Amino acid sequence: MRISSGERVANYLILTVFAVFALYPILTILVAAFSKDTQAPGGFANFQQAWEIGRFGRSLLNSVLVSAFVVVTSVVLSVLAGFAFGTMRFRGSSVLFYLMLLGIMMPAEAIVVPLFFDLRAIGLTDTFWAIVLPQVAQSVAFGTFWLRAFFRTSSRALLEAARLDGAGSLRTLWSVLVPQARPAIVTLVVLVFMWTWNEFLIPLVMVPSNEALRTAPLGLSFFSGQYTQGFTLLAAGATIVALPVVIVYLFLQRHFIAGMLEGAVKE
Amino acid sequence: MSAPTANTAAPARPPSELGNGAKRARSGPPGEPRKVAYLFILPAFAVYAAFALYPLGKAVYLSFFEWDGLTLGTWAGLSNYTDVLSNERLRGAFLHSLVLIGFYAVIPLVVGLILAAILHRARVWGLGFFRSVVFLPQVVPMVVIAVAWRQLYAPDGSLNSALSGIGLDSLTRGWLGDYDWALPAVGFIGTWFEIGLVTVLMMAGMSRIPTQQYEAARLDGAGPVREFFAVTLPAVRGQISVALTLTVIASLKTFDLIYMTTKGGPGYQTTVPSYEVYRQAFEQGKVGLASAIGVLLTIVIFAISFVITRVGDRDTETS
């Protein structure tokens, strides 16, 4: 297309303004995190101080454990279920699938209230399980849907060949389909990790009194409530909490963008 | 900027207990209904049913009771639902959601469409980098986003200094504590959060339009504006419906942001249904009422995404 140079310049201007707009709030945090004030020595020492006052060591470890459990469990369960929905015919498959599809849109706000009281009744609140299991349930709904869409496109001929070679369903899945599905599985891993790391409501409600089980976003929320002597250390804490997910994004951004956009398209 | 796409994901190991079922299913021609499918679905479905479906059903059940979470509940019929309509605060929560839909969905869609259309006309360098940057807000934890914007909106924050800098001191205020401005201020965080996602989505849709369509339009003498309405807009209908579904649902599930910035205040100027669920259940001890709000929120979300996808489908079919 023939485009005037004026329009080209205008385009760069738009790109720059928009990028600055998107980055500004994030940079505010980053700049403040390194600056000096009455409580903060400035530089990397801020992070050390925030780390100790906000007890981020504990909450980051919790977030790592919670994310690892939710990611591994929900991806394994989604691969199994997505395989069945995508490649097998069985009675009730569409009813079961639509039931699981509800989970993609179901707001955590609606289920968290009954979940809390039911789990409290059986003594499970304030435990690791109360944080992870509801999140596995929500991630498995999306994961099943996501991998079903992938397995449906997998070649029939390949499946037949595997069967003729005498491979059972599980072997076919494991040695033929899973290697093929690697990109789709990586995308799922990345999305579930991000959702779990950033989840706020479920850990907030499910761990009402066990401080030792707080996840990183929750830790930051309590830190911001208790520590009100200035923005610097709070900004350092915010940086610590956001860093893991931002680093993963920097390396696997294609998976993030593709997953969040295509995941919705396939609905 | 193109980041290396390292495949760091550990391969998932399927549980070996399923081996028996797999052997049994080896017989029979392909395409025949297979019972082993249930075994594959069982673990996922069991967790989902226990921790999502059952609680949703239980929420519906609880919404018909008056219960404080401790003592015995009493049957309340539909009174929790009529409370939502008659209580000014709760009615306000749902109305605020409508305002937030404007900020989260409508503004990003309009701006995103225009920006993407402009950028689509000329190939410029750095689009990949731009895409990564404007998408970044989507991955940052909402708690961190709230901390950042609380600072920008603070009485001594950047927004007020910028306003004073250009001589508009009369407009400065503590934005999140201002009776009239708190809701738009929160909404604008949503605009900031969603606008990159929508723009990237629109750009992806527009990049699939064949250039011949534009050339044909130009031969017919169409200017940039006619081109936009005749070629670009009809081609991205699918993306528009996706963008609306994502952003409208996000605007209705805006708990963390409200919890971290205003807690529904000042007064109840910024409260939303998802915050009221939390507040009524865990601060006011009204579990039945909270459940009713949650159920209504779910119905609204299901209805909106159903309508948007239906309209989107019909549009793409007729075009």
Side-chain angles (χ1 to χ4, degrees):
Chain A
M1 266 182 262
R2 274 163 295 132
I3 295 294
S4 70
S5 60
E7 200 174 328
R8 207 172 287 271
V9 171
N11 272 357
Y12 281 115
L13 203 67
I14 291 172
L15 288 181
T16 313
V17 169
F18 197 174
V20 169
F21 175 63
L23 280 183
Y24 187 78
I26 296 165
L27 287 180
T28 308
I29 292 251
L30 213 54
V31 169
F34 284 97
S35 61
K36 231 181 232 184
D37 70 12
T38 46
Q39 311 292 319
F44 282 100
N46 287 354
F47 293 93
Q48 200 184 348
Q49 200 141 336
W51 184 275
E52 275 161 26
I53 301 176
R55 274 169 280 173
F56 283 108
R58 181 75 230 178
S59 63
L60 281 178
L61 177 68
N62 288 336
S63 270
V64 168
L65 294 176
V66 166
S67 303
F69 183 89
V70 173
V71 167
V72 172
T73 312
S74 51
V75 169
V76 171
L77 299 192
S78 302
V79 166
L80 293 174
F83 172 58
F85 279 119
T87 65
M88 297 177 190
R89 282 203 318 130
F90 52 96
R91 296 182 65 144
S93 66
S94 45
V95 174
L96 286 173
F97 179 70
Y98 281 116
L99 269 179
M100 293 202 72
L101 209 54
L102 285 184
I104 296 179
M105 288 177 289
M106 195 186 291
E109 287 85 350
I111 58 175
V112 83
V113 173
L115 260 179
F116 171 79
F117 290 102
D118 281 346
L119 292 180
R120 194 184 64 179
I122 55 173
L124 270 183
T125 45
D126 277 321
T127 67
F128 180 76
W129 306 108
I131 305 176
V132 292
L133 290 175
Q135 296 193 75
V136 171
Q138 292 213 311
S139 297
V140 124
F142 175 80
T144 301
F145 156 80
W146 172 253
L147 290 173
R148 166 186 174 267
F150 183 86
F151 287 137
R152 264 156 72 100
T153 64
S154 62
S155 131
R156 285 259 143 234
L158 204 62
L159 290 179
E160 302 278 305
R163 279 173 74 86
L164 288 177
D165 282 349
S169 322
L170 204 59
R171 237 194 99 83
T172 311
L173 171 65
W174 178 239
S175 47
V176 179
L177 288 179
V178 166
Q180 251 191 356
R182 252 182 96 118
I185 292 174
V186 173
T187 303
L188 183 61
V189 166
V190 157
L191 288 181
V192 173
F193 166 69
M194 176 185 73
W195 290 330
T196 312
W197 188 273
N198 292 352
E199 176 61 41
F200 186 71
L201 178 65
I202 289 174
L204 174 72
V205 169
M206 293 303 168
V207 184
S209 47
N210 192 344
E211 247 183 77
L213 273 175
R214 276 178 195 160
T215 57
L218 215 54
L220 179 64
S221 162
F222 279 93
F223 185 50
S224 88
Q226 284 157 4
Y227 182 82
T228 46
Q229 299 99 307
F231 184 58
T232 308
L233 290 190
L234 183 58
T239 310
I240 292 171
V241 171
L243 204 59
V245 71
V246 171
I247 288 174
V248 176
Y249 171 71
L250 290 182
F251 282 102
L252 295 169
Q253 45 181 307
R254 275 155 214 260
H255 286 284
F256 275 95
I257 298 179
M260 289 178 74
L261 300 185
E262 279 165 31
V265 176
K266 281 180 182 157
E267 259 170 66
Chain B
M1 189 173 75
S2 64
T5 42
N7 280 327
T8 50
R13 195 171 302 140
S16 52
E17 308 90 81
L18 290 174
N20 293 333
K23 263 178 217 129
R24 254 189 279 120
R26 208 178 289 169
S27 55
E32 184 194 314
R34 318 218 2 225
K35 295 225 168 62
V36 68
Y38 300 114
L39 267 182
F40 278 93
I41 290 168
L42 183 68
F45 196 78
V47 178
Y48 172 70
F51 291 91
L53 271 187
Y54 171 75
L56 186 64
K58 187 78 183 274
V60 175
Y61 173 78
L62 285 178
S63 73
F64 296 117
F65 285 85
E66 199 168 299
W67 187 39
D68 59 7
L70 297 167
T71 54
L72 221 56
T74 50
W75 177 257
L78 286 172
S79 73
N80 285 323
Y81 290 94
T82 51
D83 273 2
V84 175
L85 295 176
S86 59
N87 182 321
E88 211 177 321
R89 181 184 177 113
L90 299 178
R91 217 171 43 219
F94 280 91
L95 291 177
H96 298 156
S97 276
L98 281 181
V99 177
L100 290 185
I101 287 176
F103 279 100
Y104 272 72
V106 180
I107 298 176
L109 182 64
V110 172
V111 178
L113 267 173
I114 296 172
L115 284 179
I118 295 173
L119 294 171
H120 174 58
R121 279 171 58 81
R123 292 250 160 77
V124 290
W125 289 103
L127 274 187
F129 175 72
F130 170 75
R131 206 171 69 136
S132 314
V133 167
V134 298
F135 205 82
L136 185 62
Q138 288 287 324
V139 306
V140 176
M142 193 46 96
V143 182
V144 172
I145 292 175
V147 167
W149 280 91
R150 251 172 27 189
Q151 181 68 8
L152 296 179
Y153 282 145
D156 58 351
S158 324
L159 180 58
N160 282 340
S161 354
L163 286 173
S164 315
I166 54 172
L168 292 172
D169 286 282
S170 57
L171 290 182
T172 60
R173 63 195 78 226
W175 293 88
L176 291 170
D178 189 279
Y179 201 77
D180 296 316
W181 282 95
L183 186 61
V186 169
F188 189 71
I189 303 175
T191 304
W192 172 82
F193 178 68
E194 298 291 358
I195 203 163
L197 173 86
V198 175
T199 309
V200 170
L201 188 56
M202 293 305 142
M203 282 166 67
M206 289 177 194
S207 68
R208 284 186 211 130
I209 305 173
T211 18
Q212 293 96 305
Q213 289 195 19
Y214 287 101
E215 280 155 12
R218 280 179 200 189
L219 283 179
D220 289 344
V225 176
R226 271 243 336 256
E227 207 176 273
F228 175 75
F229 284 104
V231 180
T232 312
L233 200 55
V236 293
R237 275 179 178 163
Q239 276 79 16
I240 292 177
S241 98
V242 168
L244 283 179
T245 313
L246 287 175
T247 52
V248 169
I249 291 182
S251 73
L252 292 168
K253 303 208 288 192
T254 183
F255 173 79
D256 344 10
L257 186 59
I258 299 292
Y259 181 89
M260 283 297 294
T261 52
T262 63
K263 300 232 170 195
Y268 53 87
Q269 286 300 298
T270 59
T271 196
V272 290
S274 53
Y275 183 72
E276 285 302 319
V277 171
Y278 175 82
R279 185 177 166 272
Q280 299 293 346
F282 302 111
E283 286 172 5
Q284 309 285 311
K286 293 185 175 170
V287 179
L289 181 60
S291 301
I293 302 167
V295 169
L296 286 175
L297 182 66
T298 311
I299 292 172
V300 170
I301 287 179
F302 284 177
I304 287 179
S305 36
F306 182 76
V307 167
I308 293 175
T309 35
R310 265 302 151 93
V311 171
D313 280 352
R314 206 171 47 222
D315 279 358
T316 37
E317 272 161 28
T318 51
S319 66

